[in-house]
Amino acid sequence: MAAIARLQLLHPSPILKPSTLLAKKLPCSPSYAPKLYGTRPRKFSITPLCSNSDQALQGSSTSGSSSSIVGDLLDYLNESWTQFHATAQAKQQLIAAGFHLLSENDEWDLKPGGRYFFTRNMSCLVAFAVGEKYSVGNGFHVIAAHTDSPCLKLKPKSASSKSGYLMVNVQTYGGGLWHTWFDRDLSVAGRVIVRGSDGSFLHKLVRVKRPLLRVPTLAIHLDRTVNKDGFKPNLETHLVPLLSMKPEETSLESKEKSSALSSKAAHHPLLMQVLSDELSCGIDDIVSIELNICDTQPSCLGGGNNEFIFSGRLDNLASSYCALRALIDSCGSPSDLSSEHAIRMVALFDNEEVGSGSIQGAGAPTMFHAMRRIVGSLADEYVGEGAFERAIRQSFLVSADMAHGVHPNFMDKHEEHHRPELQKGLVIKHNANQRYATSGVTAFLFKEVGKIHNLPTQEFVVRNDMGCGSTIGPILASGVGIRTVDCGIAQLSMHSVREVCGKEDIDIAYKHFKAFYQTFSSIDKKLIVDY
């Protein structure tokens, strides 16, 4: 099983579960381990830590059930190297669950009991399920998250060379812990526009799974004070990945040809050849690229009891996946929507890490416009005054973004009485200066969902002498006028190339989000604030 899980990670598309691989009778000898990872087979380990298995995922006692989505999350993370791949994976799962793909360019014809979704830029997605008892003016129950993570991105002209090396120039995206990107096995992934044989242009996703790039650190012998003074790389000159050695030029003619190519090409011909091989197209057919630098190490379970998830992009794909699965599973059968009066929705946005100010970010009116269109499509010929505005006032948004778990080596960085722990449930975030959109009312309603279903919650405020980050919560709350609570799964190493969260917290978050969809209507009608 361990070899099967590793094989799945290196060849993850289409997604195959271990049971499927066994049915196909693929080789599963331990001899595959050294071929895939370059290490000796670890005969004492029989637990596949990088994919779904009952054995690896036992012990989620908090959920009170043997079912767990942790293995599926690992599969999702290992497929979703970029925001484009994360959206494509979500699209694939929604279609498999019976959701109908809409286009923002077309007129919508929606029905009570229907399940729908659309994408924007293939990095933003909105999915929703309409309750069978919906009537115009009823609210939306929304969970919103984001698909992007801090990373390095190729510059429009990335080709450069230094000291006999071919280098790839990059931009920093978001507030990453950039020192963690040094000495990692890196590659590229993203989207490419390819010219078709008929003259059309095709949007394709690409992911080079093998290690292709590396940002090497300087040897301590050449930087003797680094451990005392700290590692402080210049992000323009030191954070430049190596692609390869510069080819030897054996003749004047080849030198002139190489010089002409390098002066015209925005990207190294070698990199373009790698992309063309992955896409099975000619180099000249690639007309545009938008690529992220990605760590190739798989997401996996870790810790003495396999209680942790070690992965890149947990912020915020863990929240995105829990929300997506909660929506899908809360309306998996026809009876699930039979008594629902509201509309259940998931909104996954891009560009949160840089402020959300884009057409695919939460700063755009994507969700607002979708809500208005939904109300209009579901309305009868005559609609009373303020139908859309009434719907918004009855709506509720859960802004789901990862939270800062208390660090055992830096406990003083947390406010003394607000130190969220891993494996202790969702963290509700508060900030008096509205960096988070939580209020006393919205916190109560969301905690009440957890209380009814025996799901733990924690609370967080930042110290008064420290700055506070923010989320898409305040952007959507103020832009749409919707009641909002900010919450998240506690994690360590936020914005590192490799992050850490608790395995049980994934299942708790999924169950809390699913319970929100299923029970919020009954809880909300018991509380009246504005008379």
Side-chain angles (χ1 to χ4, degrees):
M1 288 293 288
I4 294 173
R6 297 185 183 108
L7 182 62
Q8 178 185 353
L9 289 172
L10 291 186
H11 302 277
S13 182
I15 299 174
L16 297 178
K17 301 294 185 287
S19 58
T20 308
L21 292 171
L22 287 172
K24 291 180 176 289
K25 298 183 179 179
L26 294 181
C28 56
S29 165
S31 63
Y32 271 69
K35 293 180 182 178
L36 298 177
Y37 283 103
T39 58
R40 296 179 181 177
R42 309 174 80 179
K43 296 181 180 179
F44 57 86
S45 176
I46 59 173
T47 303
L49 301 183
C50 299
S51 186
N52 193 1
S53 86
D54 293 338
Q55 184 177 9
L57 303 176
Q58 286 175 355
S60 296
S61 57
T62 307
S63 65
S65 170
S66 60
S67 63
S68 172
I69 69 164
V70 171
D72 294 332
L73 170 66
L74 293 176
D75 290 333
Y76 180 76
L77 290 167
N78 283 317
E79 289 289 326
S80 303
W81 282 17
T82 72
Q83 67 275 34
F84 307 117
H85 290 83
T87 304
Q89 283 296 304
K91 175 181 176 180
Q92 177 181 317
Q93 295 190 27
L94 287 164
I95 290 174
F99 282 69
H100 299 283
L101 176 61
L102 302 172
S103 170
E104 288 190 280
N105 299 329
D106 299 335
E107 186 176 351
W108 293 354
D109 181 17
L110 311 178
K111 305 295 183 184
R115 296 170 293 169
Y116 310 92
F117 77 99
F118 66 88
T119 66
R120 177 180 287 189
N121 189 52
M122 193 43 71
S123 62
C124 168
L125 179 147
V126 175
F128 57 95
V130 184
E132 290 188 14
K133 293 189 176 181
Y134 171 84
S135 61
V136 175
N138 289 356
F140 294 80
H141 298 162
V142 189
I143 304 176
H146 63 89
T147 59
D148 62 316
S149 303
C151 66
L152 305 175
K153 291 178 178 283
L154 262 66
K155 290 182 177 179
K157 296 182 178 180
S158 70
S160 68
S161 60
K162 299 178 186 178
S163 302
Y165 296 97
L166 297 184
M167 315 289 288
V168 178
N169 292 325
V170 295
Q171 306 176 74
T172 56
Y173 174 84
L177 290 173
W178 303 121
H179 65 275
T180 66
W181 287 73
F182 283 74
D183 294 335
R184 303 291 303 186
D185 296 342
L186 306 174
S187 192
V188 294
R191 68 166 165 203
V192 177
I193 307 300
V194 177
R195 183 186 294 107
S197 57
D198 60 354
S200 62
F201 298 100
L202 308 175
H203 179 278
K204 293 190 175 184
L205 301 187
V206 65
R207 181 162 58 105
V208 180
K209 300 170 188 175
R210 67 179 178 91
L212 189 67
L213 304 168
R214 194 175 180 91
V215 185
T217 49
L218 184 63
I220 194 170
H221 313 82
L222 305 178
D223 189 9
R224 290 290 187 181
T225 64
V226 64
N227 289 329
K228 180 180 68 174
D229 298 339
F231 181 47
K232 302 173 183 178
N234 182 292
L235 300 184
E236 177 65 22
T237 59
H238 299 156
L239 193 62
V240 185
L242 304 177
L243 174 64
S244 75
M245 297 297 297
K246 192 173 182 180
E248 292 285 341
E249 297 168 343
T250 57
S251 68
L252 178 62
E253 182 179 352
S254 64
K255 289 181 180 180
E256 291 175 349
K257 183 178 180 181
S258 176
S259 177
L261 282 173
S262 61
S263 64
K264 293 180 180 178
H267 308 286
H268 287 300
L270 175 59
L271 176 61
M272 298 304 292
Q273 184 63 58
V274 171
L275 295 176
S276 70
D277 291 343
E278 288 287 327
L279 295 165
S280 299
C281 69
I283 293 178
D284 293 338
D285 293 327
I286 300 174
V287 297
S288 180
I289 65 175
E290 186 174 351
L291 299 178
N292 296 358
I293 305 297
C294 306
D295 185 18
T296 60
Q297 185 174 355
S299 305
C300 63
L301 297 183
N305 295 308
N306 293 334
E307 65 265 60
F308 300 127
I309 295 175
F310 298 157
S311 175
R313 307 174 303 282
L314 288 174
D315 177 17
N316 190 34
L317 292 186
S319 303
S320 296
Y321 187 73
C322 289
L324 179 72
R325 273 294 296 271
L327 177 65
I328 290 174
D329 293 351
S330 72
C331 54
S333 65
S335 61
D336 289 336
L337 296 172
S338 60
S339 60
E340 179 62 80
H341 294 261
I343 296 171
R344 302 171 182 176
M345 177 180 282
V346 159
L348 307 180
F349 297 99
D350 193 4
N351 299 134
E352 187 275 345
E353 297 293 356
V354 292
S356 299
S358 68
I359 189 175
Q360 58 272 359
T366 310
M367 193 175 83
F368 179 82
H369 287 169
M371 289 175 162
R372 184 177 288 280
R373 293 187 67 176
I374 293 167
V375 171
S377 178
L378 292 169
D380 296 327
E381 292 184 6
Y382 173 79
V383 179
E385 182 273 331
F388 175 72
E389 289 75 14
R390 287 186 285 115
I392 294 299
R393 290 303 307 132
Q394 296 188 69
S395 299
F396 193 94
L397 170 72
V398 177
S399 169
D401 204 346
M402 302 297 280
H404 296 291
V406 63
H407 195 304
N409 298 332
F410 299 91
M411 292 177 61
D412 59 336
K413 294 295 183 180
H414 275 70
E415 199 277 337
E416 182 180 2
H417 302 292
H418 297 84
R419 292 174 172 170
E421 300 178 37
L422 273 60
Q423 311 283 51
K424 296 294 180 66
L426 282 172
V427 179
I428 297 176
K429 307 175 186 179
H430 302 260
N431 186 262
N433 297 305
Q434 293 300 297
R435 298 294 288 171
Y436 303 128
T438 306
S439 70
V441 170
T442 60
F444 163 74
L445 290 169
F446 193 65
K447 285 190 290 186
E448 192 68 11
V449 171
K451 182 179 178 181
I452 291 173
H453 293 268
N454 296 316
L455 297 167
T457 56
Q458 309 177 77
E459 293 181 288
F460 171 79
V461 295
V462 73
R463 289 172 56 111
N464 289 330
D465 55 0
M466 295 179 64
C468 183
S470 191
T471 68
I472 60 178
I475 296 172
L476 295 172
S478 59
V480 182
I482 185 172
R483 295 175 296 167
T484 302
V485 64
D486 266 297
C487 71
I489 299 167
Q491 73 164 103
L492 302 175
S493 304
M494 186 178 288
H495 289 195
S496 169
V497 73
R498 293 288 285 185
E499 300 172 320
V500 187
C501 75
K503 179 178 72 175
E504 287 194 20
D505 283 332
I506 297 300
D507 287 324
I508 294 172
Y510 159 70
K511 290 179 182 295
H512 204 137
F513 293 161
K514 187 177 178 182
F516 165 71
Y517 285 130
Q518 294 173 329
T519 63
F520 184 78
S521 292
S522 61
I523 296 170
D524 189 34
K525 67 182 181 181
K526 297 178 182 178
L527 175 66
I528 300 175
V529 176
D530 297 305
Y531 296 90

